[in-house]
Amino acid sequence: MWRAELRAKTKNKDRMLIQRVKMPELAPGIRVKHQDREVNIGLNPDQAQTEATRCMDCSNPTCIEGCPVSINIPKFIKNIENGEILKAAATLKETNALPAVCGRVCPQEKQCELRCFYVEKLDKPAVAIGHLERFAADFERNSGVSNIPETEKPNGIKIAAVGSGPASLSFAGDMVKYGYDVTVFEALHEIGGVLKYGIPEFRLPNSVVDFELENLRQMGVKFITNFIVGRTSSFDDLHNDGYKGFFIGSGAGLPRFMDIPGENFNAILSSNEYLTRVNLMGAATDKKDTPVLRGKNVAVIGGGNTAMDSVRTALRLGAERAIIIYRRSEAEMPARIEEVQHAKEEGVEFMTLCNPLEYFADGKGRVRRMRLNRMGLGEPDSSGRRRPLPIEGSEFELDVDLVIVAVGVSPNPLVPACLPDLKVTKWGTIVVDEEKMQSSISEMFAGGDIVRGGATVILAMGDGRKAAESMHHFLQKK
Amino acid sequence: MNRIIGKEYFSDKVVKLVVENPLIARSRKPGNFVILRVGEDGERFPLTIAGADPVLGTITLVVQIMGVSSSKLVALEVGENITDLVGPLGKPTHIEHIGTVLAAGGGVGVAPMLPIAEAFKKAGNRVISIIAARNKDLIILEEEIRRWSDEVIVMTDDGSYGRKGLITAGMEEIIKREKIDECIVIGPAIMMKFASILTKKYNIPTQASLNSIMVDGTGMCGACRVTVGGRTKFTCVDGPEFDAHQVDFDEMLIRLGGYIQEEKRAAEIYSQKL
């Protein structure tokens, strides 16, 4: 009813006249000095309401189809237009355990916003769904009022989730709503997985993650840290403790290196190591014991979001030159356009169509120089992107004193190593039925990077939701 | 959890801690290590599990005071908790009945060597143990090692206890005297390097337990990477023990020095605070 009234209040042709809001950003000159200040400042209530008015509340909302966790997008946006921000936040929480996270890190431009009526039919900028999601989630967090989603009566069935990253968190959020007794086991000393150790403070503050984790706790999800399932206790031990279902969300925390000469010299780190030191262990501040190496001339190898996070962190830690080295061209870079844009504004240099060959060190074994060659693009390879090929005679050298290797991650082998009956691919990803997310061991389901290889937070969450629904049916049938 | 229930100073630099952690005590095998953190600002660092009592639910750690983190750990009193403790990590030692085993432990490396000597002895092997250190103060666990060895040789660089000389000299004497089927070397990287060169000369299969720098300890970051047989391996998940003759010790020594400036600075700041 209220939706019909709201639609009638403003004509669509007037809605279409409103320009898409521009997210206010901290100036590049300021933000490169601060590891912990968010770049995107967030919309204010007026901006949010105006942007929400652009949404035409389509009778066939294609935007929802673009969302891996099926958020009821028109409903939450119309609540914002109606001034009911807390109701908007509640709508988000119906399907999304971590709305403040998604509102910040989802590639909306490839997902919900790509399917927006404005884009599909009008060739105009989409409604800023991501910015609005963040606005609603942040509003709720700052309001002090916490809406705990309803859960079914507890059914006493114990469920274990392995890993506390986005896949397990969203799985746990749904399972606890179904009434299950869910415990999330985490190997590290902090909960959140890649949300805490991988994504920097200037994109996703840990305090925002903590708030959403607290919400899950309020719903009844239990968390145990410093616990490696398969090592601290075996899966058999957990069976004997009464756990009936398992979700493996142990992620793709295994760094990939290029295996080129000199790669083991000091001051050449994987992006996992670099970001874990800074984001999880707070190494950029003297207050924390964990050190991090700083460089004046920093090279980051790679072109994805992790590479962007690494190179922008290096700038904030005092690099005079922070360089992205990527073997394909900018058009092929997998990183979000927004991240590339922000990086350029901050002064990151982009050396595209370049590939590292070898590293050289000083007398103490610390890297000081690297040799690269230039690349040309040939025919597309199996990923669909044009294959980079070295240009003969194009070798050159670069002075570097810190190198971050961000060329991808592989599935962490710890859990599969403990389960010989678990079917895995040759790359170490767990094989699952794509609809049910069920593995070769019937009570074990899996999702996120351990199934996909390095992917995104939101895809992991979508897997978690699918697995929860599917495990629920599996257990109810038994 | 992780409450310290026993603390004993072997010397003013080396401390034994008995920590309550029933799950790790139960699931741990010789060769495994744990990652610890002391205080909310603390860094993560590894320590080998020197022993465990699954019935009492405790594990034993032996710490040598080196820098800030080991100092903070040793400053904890009985009754206090270690902020974070996780394990058991690493591949357990491969134990088999093979004949005669030479176990060579340098300095605080004798602590991780103890459970390995015990396991080899229990598997029916003849165990000859050499424990060595710079001086008498740094010799630890001699009685415990004797319990699980058929013969024990103690050596100090300065002759203040046991025989005077380097561990490699003691090892070579034994190797020349009798057939050794396998050798275990645990201690400072430089000691393991030379011990390994020695046993390679005599073609004795040798396992070294590496003490690489670690951050997470679960295979996630690659800080602990080492070249073994020309390929990159992670000490925390592929090790900590490797075929010593395949390990690039020179590279490992370089990598161990990766944070020397930062470690020095942190130690200065810490000692000023005290």
Side-chain angles (χ1 to χ4, degrees):
Chain A
M1 258 302 290
W2 67 272
R3 299 267 288 271
E5 282 176 21
L6 196 57
R7 278 195 296 274
K9 228 170 99 181
T10 315
K11 290 200 168 56
N12 276 354
K13 67 174 172 62
D14 291 328
R15 296 181 188 273
M16 280 158 52
L17 288 175
I18 306 171
Q19 294 294 315
R20 176 183 159 117
V21 71
K22 181 150 186 340
M23 167 62 81
E25 294 170 355
L26 206 55
I30 298 176
R31 67 201 202 215
V32 291
K33 297 199 173 81
H34 299 276
Q35 178 64 18
D36 59 356
R37 289 230 205 134
E38 277 194 86
V39 173
N40 287 344
I41 298 171
L43 304 183
N44 65 39
D46 282 334
Q47 286 172 313
Q49 217 235 8
T50 306
E51 183 64 22
T53 308
R54 290 183 68 222
C55 166
M56 293 187 278
D57 203 356
C58 303
S59 52
N60 177 28
T62 44
C63 51
I64 303 182
E65 288 164 26
C67 174
V69 295
S70 309
I71 292 178
N72 191 337
I73 296 170
K75 184 173 168 198
F76 98 80
I77 293 183
K78 290 299 114 185
N79 266 312
I80 294 178
E81 186 187 342
N82 211 23
E84 297 277 12
I85 320 300
L86 292 180
K87 285 198 181 145
T91 306
L92 292 170
K93 289 226 196 98
E94 279 164 21
T95 55
N96 185 345
L98 312 170
V101 171
C102 292
R104 285 169 166 77
V105 308
C106 269
Q108 294 95 5
E109 65 277 9
K110 291 192 184 139
Q111 295 172 170
C112 50
E113 290 181 17
L114 186 63
R115 303 298 312 280
C116 176
F117 184 84
Y118 277 88
V119 170
E120 285 198 333
K121 301 288 189 220
L122 302 176
D123 197 24
K124 281 181 163 202
V127 172
I129 301 171
H131 297 335
L132 290 172
E133 180 179 21
R134 177 195 162 156
F135 171 77
D138 285 357
F139 185 95
E140 190 198 51
R141 188 175 72 255
N142 294 324
S143 73
V145 175
S146 201
N147 163 342
I148 312 298
E150 271 178 31
T151 57
E152 295 288 335
K153 237 173 48 172
N155 58 26
I157 301 177
K158 283 168 77 168
I159 306 293
V162 179
S164 68
S168 288
L169 294 177
S170 108
F171 166 82
D174 276 4
M175 287 305 273
V176 83
K177 277 186 195 166
Y178 290 134
Y180 292 93
D181 176 354
V182 185
T183 304
V184 177
F185 294 91
E186 169 56 49
L188 292 174
H189 59 278
E190 284 245 23
I191 300 157
V194 75
L195 302 175
K196 285 270 180 77
Y197 75 72
I199 306 181
E201 289 292 280
F202 57 82
R203 273 217 295 142
L204 177 63
N206 284 351
S207 56
V208 169
V209 179
D210 280 334
F211 180 85
E212 310 219 299
L213 293 174
E214 184 53 34
N215 192 62
L216 286 170
R217 277 197 193 90
Q218 298 279 342
M219 284 167 71
V221 176
K222 290 179 268 196
F223 292 96
I224 300 182
T225 54
N226 295 313
F227 195 114
I228 303 176
V229 175
R231 302 299 296 261
T232 309
S233 283
S234 66
F235 280 93
D236 279 345
D237 289 333
L238 292 179
H239 262 297
N240 295 335
D241 280 345
Y243 288 91
K244 298 284 182 230
F246 296 83
F247 176 78
I248 316 290
S250 50
L254 184 70
R256 267 194 234 144
F257 290 94
M258 293 180 66
D259 280 330
I260 57 175
E263 206 174 28
N264 287 344
F265 283 130
N266 285 332
I268 301 179
L269 283 63
S270 71
S271 51
N272 270 0
E273 182 186 346
Y274 188 59
L275 294 174
T276 294
R277 283 179 184 274
V278 178
N279 299 329
L280 181 68
M281 307 305 297
T285 76
D286 271 348
K287 184 170 173 281
K288 300 285 183 180
D289 290 351
T290 304
V292 68
L293 295 176
R294 293 171 194 252
K296 290 267 165 263
N297 296 312
V298 183
V300 175
I301 322 297
N305 291 322
T306 306
M308 294 308 126
D309 285 341
S310 302
V311 78
R312 295 168 69 197
T313 296
L315 261 186
R316 284 156 173 77
L317 262 52
E320 282 167 13
R321 280 187 87 188
I323 309 164
I324 283 283
I325 296 179
Y326 182 59
R327 59 189 182 143
R328 291 185 167 98
S329 77
E330 194 174 318
E332 281 91 18
M333 280 174 69
R336 288 187 73 193
I337 293 176
E338 177 179 287
E339 305 309 327
V340 174
Q341 182 61 27
H342 283 164
K344 284 184 176 167
E345 287 164 6
E346 289 162 14
V348 170
E349 290 174 51
F350 283 75
M351 291 180 67
T352 51
L353 293 166
C354 289
N355 201 41
L357 294 172
E358 185 172 355
Y359 300 101
F360 304 97
D362 61 18
K364 296 211 176 88
R366 182 184 177 137
V367 70
R368 291 295 172 192
R369 224 169 66 247
M370 63 187 291
R371 202 169 88 245
L372 310 92
N373 62 12
R374 300 199 186 271
M375 312 294 275
L377 292 178
E379 290 304 305
D381 65 17
S382 58
S383 73
R385 291 176 295 168
R386 294 177 65 195
R387 188 196 310 262
L389 298 163
I391 296 175
E392 257 194 64
S394 68
E395 294 182 9
F396 67 101
E397 293 190 353
L398 193 63
D399 283 344
V400 288
D401 58 357
L402 179 66
V403 178
I404 314 293
V405 182
V407 298
V409 283
S410 298
N412 188 286
L414 269 184
V415 167
C418 301
L419 293 167
D421 289 337
L422 187 68
K423 202 152 159 256
V424 293
T425 64
K426 67 177 189 218
W427 303 284
T429 50
I430 296 179
V431 175
V432 293
D433 170 308
E434 271 180 33
E435 278 316 304
K436 297 197 198 133
M437 309 309 293
Q438 194 171 22
S439 76
S440 58
I441 299 175
S442 64
E443 68 269 19
M444 289 192 188
F445 292 65
D449 288 0
I450 193 69
V451 168
R452 297 169 175 272
T456 62
V457 165
I458 190 67
L459 289 174
M461 292 180 68
D463 290 349
R465 298 210 67 215
K466 251 196 216 167
E469 188 180 356
S470 168
M471 184 188 283
H472 175 52
H473 287 134
F474 170 75
L475 290 172
Q476 292 304 308
K477 275 209 206 115
K478 271 179 145 194
Chain B
M1 257 275 246
N2 307 322
R3 202 163 53 100
I4 297 176
I5 63 164
K7 182 176 175 184
E8 184 189 333
Y9 278 81
F10 286 154
S11 71
D12 62 355
K13 281 246 176 290
V14 185
V15 179
K16 174 175 119 171
L17 295 171
V18 180
V19 184
E20 209 169 33
N21 192 308
L23 290 177
I24 299 180
R26 191 178 62 177
S27 50
R28 149 276 173 186
K29 297 189 172 65
N32 285 152
F33 65 96
V34 290
I35 291 267
L36 316 86
R37 226 169 63 98
V38 182
E40 288 302 330
D41 297 337
E43 66 169 344
R44 293 171 64 94
F45 65 99
L47 276 180
T48 310
I49 304 170
D53 187 328
V55 172
L56 287 178
T58 62
I59 60 172
T60 300
L61 306 171
V62 175
V63 198
Q64 178 167 325
I65 300 172
M66 304 274 284
V68 174
S69 301
S70 48
S71 299
K72 283 187 176 179
L73 179 59
V74 159
L76 294 175
E77 296 298 347
V78 171
E80 291 191 271
N81 291 333
I82 298 176
T83 311
D84 293 296
L85 181 69
V86 67
L89 294 163
K91 287 202 170 121
T93 312
H94 177 67
I95 307 285
E96 58 177 327
H97 179 71
I98 200 170
T100 303
V101 175
L102 176 60
V108 77
V110 175
M113 191 179 106
L114 175 60
I116 296 174
E118 177 182 350
F120 271 109
K121 187 83 194 101
K122 283 179 171 167
N125 294 291
R126 171 172 158 77
V127 174
I128 303 172
S129 294
I130 303 190
I131 59 179
R134 285 200 301 276
N135 58 53
K136 181 176 180 184
D137 273 347
L138 297 169
I139 295 285
I140 58 170
L141 298 170
E142 185 186 342
E143 281 317 304
E144 288 85 344
I145 292 283
R146 280 195 191 282
R147 213 177 135 212
W148 300 110
S149 311
D150 294 280
E151 189 182 335
V152 176
I153 293 105
V154 181
M155 301 184 71
T156 46
D157 290 3
D158 65 0
S160 55
Y161 187 61
R163 285 179 47 184
K164 183 171 180 194
L166 293 177
I167 198 170
T168 39
M171 287 171 73
E172 192 157 24
E173 253 186 57
I174 295 169
I175 290 169
K176 284 183 169 161
R177 185 187 80 190
E178 66 183 275
K179 179 170 183 286
I180 302 295
D181 298 293
E182 187 171 342
C183 186
I184 313 292
V185 294
I186 312 187
I190 189 90
M191 168 237 161
M192 292 193 287
K193 172 182 169 181
F194 285 106
S196 173
I197 290 172
L198 173 71
T199 61
K200 192 166 187 180
K201 208 168 78 175
Y202 291 93
N203 277 318
I204 300 171
T206 303
Q207 293 287 307
S209 180
L210 304 187
N211 55 337
S212 311
I213 292 177
M214 291 183 190
V215 182
D216 65 291
T218 60
M220 203 193 87
C221 77
C224 65
R225 62 192 190 277
V226 63
T227 301
V228 182
R231 310 192 60 185
T232 297
K233 299 280 177 191
F234 289 1
T235 304
C236 66
V237 292
D238 302 312
E241 284 162 36
F242 294 102
D243 175 350
H245 299 158
Q246 302 284 320
V247 172
D248 183 344
F249 280 104
D250 289 330
E251 179 191 83
M252 190 195 161
L253 281 158
I254 289 175
R255 290 188 63 74
L256 281 175
Y259 290 86
I260 272 194
Q261 305 284 18
E262 289 75 11
E263 285 163 9
K264 272 198 193 126
R265 189 160 158 262
E268 275 163 23
I269 297 175
Y270 182 70
S271 62
Q272 277 164 24
K273 275 195 201 150
L274 289 177

